[in-house]
């Protein structure tokens, strides 16, 4: 593997995700400790855990990321905005916001744009918009990427992980649209180092995964082989 891929340190790409409904305070503490120890980009937790994560990571490198309108994206714009604002008040600096898929598919592009733009403007934080690419046509993916970019998003994100995950093909398609203007977060189903590196080489600038530790261990094992 080492001969086939560039020498890429994947740790700084990783948002260390703890997005299971059964997550406990002890697990949040563990995830934060791991993110700090392994120099991950961020910890991604549910809004209820943001305050704890922010306290644990105060003055440390990893960012505190949370999810908004997760996993369906079908809550109202007012609720999404309040959820985002409260998350920021509790210490989140990155917000992974699920797009309203029904609006997108119905051609309600103005509503989609307005919802994302309002969250970007009112919070002033890094917004990553989750497109849920497995449920979209290629045309819808391109349209969603353009809308989110124009609305002020800092990243577009492929998936929640609840309806399938990231693919190299989708990352390449999104890269064609956004080029270098905003980042791309690949998320969902990233289980091997090869997958992670393939997604990075396709254009992903962040990786959302709960398996960050396993990926680093696998990379070490392969490098030593």
């Amino acid at each position: 593997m080492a001969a086939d891929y560039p020498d890429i340190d994947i740790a700084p790409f990783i948002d260390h995700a703890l997005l299971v409904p059964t997550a406990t305070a002890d697990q949040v503490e563990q995830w934060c400790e791991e993110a700090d120890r392994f120099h991950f980009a961020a910890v991604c937790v549910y809004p209820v855990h943001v305050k704890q994560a922010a306290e644990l990571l105060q003055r440390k490198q990893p960012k505190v990321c949370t999810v908004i309108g997760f996993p369906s994206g079908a809550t109202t714009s007012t609720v999404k905005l309040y959820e985002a604002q409260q998350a920021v008040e509790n210490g989140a600096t990155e917000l992974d916001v699920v797009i309203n898929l029904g609006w997108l598919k119905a051609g309600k592009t103005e509503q989609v744009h307005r919802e994302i733009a309002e969250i970007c403007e009112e919070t002033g934080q890094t917004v990553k918009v989750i497109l849920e690419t497995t449920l979209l046509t290629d045309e819808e993916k391109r349209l969603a990427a353009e809308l989110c970019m124009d609305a002020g998003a800092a990243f577009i994100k492929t998936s929640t992980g609840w309806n399938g995950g990231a693919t190299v093909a989708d990352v390449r398609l999104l890269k064609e649209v956004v080029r270098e203007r905003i980042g791309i977060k690949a998320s969902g189903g990233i289980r091997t180092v090869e997958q992670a590196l393939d997604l990075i080489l396709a254009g992903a600038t962040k990786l959302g995964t709960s398996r960050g530790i396993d990926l680093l261990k696998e990379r070490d094992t392969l490098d030593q082989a």
Side-chain angles (χ1 to χ4, degrees), residues 27-202:
Q27 287 176 303
V28 172
E29 184 174 357
Q30 176 188 337
W31 252 246
C32 290
E33 188 277 328
E34 290 171 346
D36 182 46
R37 175 156 43 106
F38 292 103
H39 308 291
F40 291 150
V43 165
C44 188
V45 296
Y46 278 111
V48 70
H49 300 300
V50 164
K51 192 169 185 179
Q52 180 192 5
E55 290 171 354
L56 290 167
L57 291 172
Q58 189 174 12
R59 294 186 294 275
K60 295 182 178 179
Q61 179 182 334
K63 306 294 186 184
V64 177
C65 173
T66 194
V67 287
I68 304 298
F70 191 88
S72 72
T75 49
T76 66
S77 296
T78 301
V79 168
K80 282 185 184 177
L81 179 59
Y82 178 78
E83 187 176 32
Q85 289 173 323
Q86 187 179 56
V88 171
E89 289 172 7
N90 287 335
T93 59
E94 299 192 353
L95 307 168
D96 287 15
V97 182
V98 186
I99 200 170
N100 188 311
L101 293 160
W103 284 352
L104 182 69
K105 286 187 170 291
K108 297 181 178 180
T109 55
E110 185 177 336
Q111 288 97 315
V112 173
H113 183 280
R114 185 189 306 120
E115 180 174 271
I116 300 304
E118 188 173 33
I119 292 172
C120 292
E121 291 166 9
E122 294 297 326
T123 65
Q125 301 300 322
T126 297
V127 172
K128 308 185 213 102
V129 184
I130 306 174
L131 306 186
E132 205 69 296
T133 49
T134 59
L135 302 182
L136 303 178
T137 65
D138 285 356
E139 182 180 351
E140 288 167 342
K141 294 167 197 172
R142 292 189 181 94
L143 174 60
E146 291 283 2
L147 287 169
C148 295
M149 189 163 48
D150 189 64
F155 290 79
I156 46 176
K157 177 178 171 181
T158 60
S159 320
T160 62
W162 288 58
N163 296 285
T167 66
V168 167
D170 279 342
V171 171
R172 285 178 178 158
L173 182 151
L174 296 175
K175 183 69 172 178
E176 289 175 4
V177 177
V178 305
R179 301 177 192 173
E180 307 297 331
R181 290 173 286 183
I182 64 173
I184 298 172
K185 179 175 174 179
S187 184
I190 304 173
R191 296 182 175 87
T192 68
V193 170
E194 284 85 354
Q195 280 180 293
L197 291 171
D198 283 340
L199 291 165
I200 291 170
L201 292 173

